Amino acid sequence: MINIAEMTSPDVGAAIKKGFTTAVFAVGSNEQHGPCLPLSTDTVLGDALAEAVAGKLGKALKAPTVNVGCSEHHMRFPGTITLRKETLQHVIRDYVDGLAKHGFKRIVVLPSHGGNFGPLAEIAGELGDAHPGVKVVVYHDLQAFAGTMMRTGVGLGVSPEASGAHAGESEVSMMMHVAGGLVKESMVSKSRGYVGKFDEEVAMRIFQEGIGALSPIGVLGDARGASAEHGKAYVEDMAEDIVKYIESC
């Protein structure tokens, strides 16, 4: 077992003594994900990615996912909850501090929601400086994160535009794979949103104007054609790329 939330405190202590001194945690969100996915999507997928990454790293434990992030650009949609950038940064400082105090020597911060990448990038260096002897790795390359999904999609015969960056074919497929019961299958056929290019310019427009400026249903991509089989491939490839990044740091 590597999931801290499902372990007892003595079990965690024993694992650290046995050399499980890497902790991985995701930073997700509670925000709209179009007509067919739950608001918890980024948290659920963060859980899955963090666990996959911890397993591939070896001698690593998965810590609980932060389930609310910076989602101001989704606030026109009911149910979305957002934190101010400064609030999220304070939460992550305290979270990392707590893990470091328990003896973890490498702490991996893995955002699984696009709006969290920028705020975490701002404090990445600070987190490391605050804990001498602890390697804090913050994965904060949003374009690389989205790029892996799109490259995997191309290999599966899915265009980058359909794969999308938010509630498109890739995220719906991943949710079908890790939590199929949460996908509203009857609405997948109605989950075609913005299917243009996703680049830094588009990302900036979303953060400045809100995702509704591009898609009235809050979807970047086209969920039609999503499958659990595709989802398994997305999760595997993303975890592999994230591990390569961590090990290169």
Side-chain angles (χ1 to χ4, degrees), residues 56-67:
K56 290 178 180 295
L57 287 172
K59 293 288 187 178
L61 300 181
K62 175 204 165 291
T65 297
V66 177
N67 63 3

Side-chain angles (χ1 to χ4, degrees), residues 111-128:
S112 52
H113 157 59
N116 295 339
F117 280 74
L120 295 181
E122 289 181 10
I123 62 171
E126 170 197 327
L127 291 173

Side-chain angles (χ1 to χ4, degrees), residues 103-116:
F104 288 102
K105 298 302 181 185
R106 181 169 61 173
I107 300 169
V108 178
V109 186
L110 174 57
S112 52
H113 157 59
N116 295 339

Side-chain angles (χ1 to χ4, degrees), residues 45-150:
L45 295 181
D47 277 336
L49 282 172
E51 186 159 349
V53 167
K56 290 178 180 295
L57 287 172
K59 293 288 187 178
L61 300 181
K62 175 204 165 291
T65 297
V66 177
N67 63 3
V68 182
C70 296
S71 301
E72 182 63 36
H73 49 298
H74 293 277
M75 282 299 290
R76 68 172 282 182
F77 296 92
T80 299
I81 300 171
T82 189
L83 299 178
R84 291 187 294 272
K85 176 184 75 171
E86 295 80 9
T87 303
L88 179 65
Q89 291 171 334
H90 283 312
V91 168
I92 301 306
R93 289 185 184 102
D94 286 352
Y95 198 138
V96 170
D97 185 59
L99 291 173
K101 286 178 179 176
H102 289 306
F104 288 102
K105 298 302 181 185
R106 181 169 61 173
I107 300 169
V108 178
V109 186
L110 174 57
S112 52
H113 157 59
N116 295 339
F117 280 74
L120 295 181
E122 289 181 10
I123 62 171
E126 170 197 327
L127 291 173
D129 293 343
H131 302 285
V134 177
K135 189 176 189 110
V136 181
V137 179
V138 180
Y139 183 87
H140 54 74
D141 190 336
L142 177 57
Q143 290 300 315
F145 188 82
T148 298
M149 285 193 293
M150 293 175 186

Side-chain angles (χ1 to χ4, degrees), residues 226-249:
S227 71
E229 182 181 2
H230 284 188
K232 183 178 180 180
Y234 283 118
V235 172
E236 177 68 18
D237 287 356
M238 292 179 75
E240 285 283 356
D241 279 4
I242 292 166
V243 167
K244 289 176 184 176
Y245 174 84
I246 294 167
E247 292 182 337
S248 71
C249 292

